[in-house]
Amino acid sequence: MDFIKKNSKGILLCLCIAVPAWFMGKKFPIIGGPIIAILAGMIITMFIKDKTPFAGGIKFTSKKILQWAVVLLGFGMNLGVIVETGVQSLPIIVSTITVSLVIAYVIHRLMKTPSKISTLIGVGSSICGGSAIAAAAPVIDADDEEIAQAISVIFFFNVLAALIFPSMGQVLGFSTVTGEAFGVFAGTAVNDTSSVTAAASTWDSMWSLGSQTLDTAVTVKLTRTLAIIPICLGLAFIRKRKEQKSEEGGSVSLKSIFPFFILFFIGASVITTIAVSAGIDPGVFSPIKELSKFFIILAMAAIGLNTNIVKLIKTGGKPLFMGFCCWTGITAVSLAAQHVMGIW
């Protein structure tokens, strides 16, 4: 009862933003529900004089429901399919993730960009956009404004990629007979699922390839998403070591550094894999995957409500430059790796 009294108003406010954002995201997939929700939250919060009655629910939504969204994301992971068809792209994925994280770290050191924002932009650019940011944010204890900053940067380059890459692929001479080359490119160089889907579907439409490009791109993208697991564990370990150095030192406790929602994410992936291997239709998990997407939109609404849009714009220059460098670095490495491997 205390939970309902403390959190119901804030959760209801987030739902009032998330539900229309969900439908608008379906209508405008290149923008996506999460971005619409976070922008709506930023605007609405400017007109709320006293957020005290909503604070508990907003905090619960931006923290706990964000973690639940990542757990449910695991039900979209058939590890068997990923291993079977995603292995070819693995060297490219490892290369792009590495270059993005290195670029983010170097720019953080050179330009004194806040460390948590730098981490979120590096992780979001290299793995899977908003989902990776959602997974990494609780691990490094990022606040809502830091999450909003990173999401905004990722969104900007998502839209650019979805609009530019199909024409760029044509200029670069990707095969128009098969969707494999452009599918691998979209799956490794575009960071968010919605934009990967948009770019790959555009290529399929341009050359009448059915869903060849889309199927390849989504599989590669799912393979990238698995990098959430080692990245989050690594970030948790680094954070704990920093905390202990700043205090009195000592050994690192596995229990204290382990982000347990990632364990549930793995469990969901294993359940999906076993079920599909046993002959169960993967479509059974579609409602859970949709719920995961809605939870991310719900959490983004809460994050928007806790974000000062004026401050976000004023401090956006350095993160935007970092996002640009990560984006161009990933694109260049993806193209170079494909060329070396003979895919393109």
Side-chain angles (χ1 to χ4, degrees):
M1 187 63 71
D2 286 341
F3 173 84
I4 295 174
K5 184 178 179 181
K6 182 181 178 183
N7 298 315
S8 58
K9 289 184 178 179
I11 294 173
L12 184 60
L13 177 60
C14 294
L15 278 168
C16 288
I17 297 171
V19 172
W22 165 265
F23 287 108
M24 289 180 69
K26 296 276 188 183
K27 190 172 180 62
F28 305 103
I30 195 170
I31 299 174
I35 293 299
I36 294 171
I38 202 170
L39 290 175
M42 288 179 191
I43 293 168
I44 289 169
T45 197
M46 293 190 292
F47 298 95
I48 302 176
K49 292 183 178 179
D50 181 16
K51 285 200 294 186
T52 304
F54 307 102
I58 292 172
K59 182 179 179 181
F60 174 82
T61 304
S62 69
K63 301 298 181 185
K64 292 297 182 183
I65 289 184
L66 193 59
Q67 293 183 19
W68 296 353
V70 175
V71 172
L72 296 179
L73 189 67
F75 286 102
M77 298 287 196
N78 183 342
L79 301 179
V81 173
I82 290 172
V83 170
E84 183 180 342
T85 60
V87 170
Q88 180 191 30
S89 61
L90 194 58
I92 305 173
I93 292 170
V94 172
S95 300
T96 53
I97 289 174
T98 301
V99 76
S100 178
L101 295 176
V102 169
I103 288 172
Y105 178 76
V106 169
I107 293 177
H108 156 64
R109 300 290 292 182
L110 292 177
M111 300 185 68
K112 310 299 181 185
T113 310
S115 61
K116 291 180 182 178
I117 291 176
S118 301
T119 300
L120 293 179
I121 291 174
V123 169
S125 298
S126 62
I127 302 176
C128 53
S131 299
I133 291 172
V139 179
I140 63 174
D141 196 28
D143 63 35
D144 288 347
E145 288 195 351
E146 289 165 334
I147 297 170
Q149 186 88 73
I151 289 283
S152 300
V153 169
I154 295 300
F155 160 71
F156 179 73
F157 293 106
N158 271 341
V159 173
L160 280 184
L163 294 174
I164 293 172
F165 279 8
S167 298
M168 190 170 116
Q170 185 178 4
V171 171
L172 291 172
F174 278 104
S175 171
T176 58
V177 179
T178 171
E180 181 186 10
F182 189 82
V184 172
F185 175 56
T188 53
V190 186
N191 50 49
D192 195 76
T193 303
S194 59
S195 294
V196 170
T197 302
S201 297
T202 300
W203 188 262
D204 279 332
S205 298
M206 285 170 64
W207 307 109
S208 302
L209 296 174
S211 63
Q212 286 184 38
T213 312
L214 182 60
D215 292 344
T216 301
V218 169
T219 301
V220 172
K221 180 66 173 56
L222 290 176
T223 308
R224 276 175 72 192
T225 302
L226 287 177
I228 284 176
I229 300 166
I231 290 293
C232 285
L233 294 178
L235 289 174
F237 185 79
I238 291 168
R239 176 188 169 193
K240 191 60 187 177
R241 288 196 65 180
K242 285 182 178 178
E243 288 177 354
Q244 290 185 333
K245 282 183 180 179
S246 66
E247 294 169 6
E248 68 248 5
S251 61
V252 178
S253 164
L254 179 62
K255 183 178 179 181
S256 66
I257 69 168
F258 196 91
F260 282 95
F261 69 94
I262 293 295
L263 182 63
F264 297 132
F265 168 84
I266 298 170
S269 303
V270 171
I271 289 170
T272 302
T273 305
I274 293 172
V276 172
S277 299
I280 296 175
D281 186 350
V284 169
F285 298 103
S286 293
I288 303 176
K289 288 157 61 178
E290 290 299 309
L291 183 61
S292 168
K293 294 175 185 176
F294 180 74
F295 275 2
I296 288 179
I297 293 172
L298 189 60
M300 291 304 114
I303 287 167
L305 288 167
N306 271 345
T307 301
N308 184 328
I309 193 170
V310 176
K311 182 180 176 183
L312 190 70
I313 293 170
K314 285 182 177 178
T315 59
K318 290 181 180 179
L320 195 63
F321 177 73
M322 176 181 287
F324 171 75
C325 292
C326 289
W327 182 59
T328 52
I330 287 170
T331 302
V333 169
S334 176
L335 289 171
Q338 284 188 77
H339 192 65
V340 170
M341 294 173 65
I343 299 173
W344 162 50

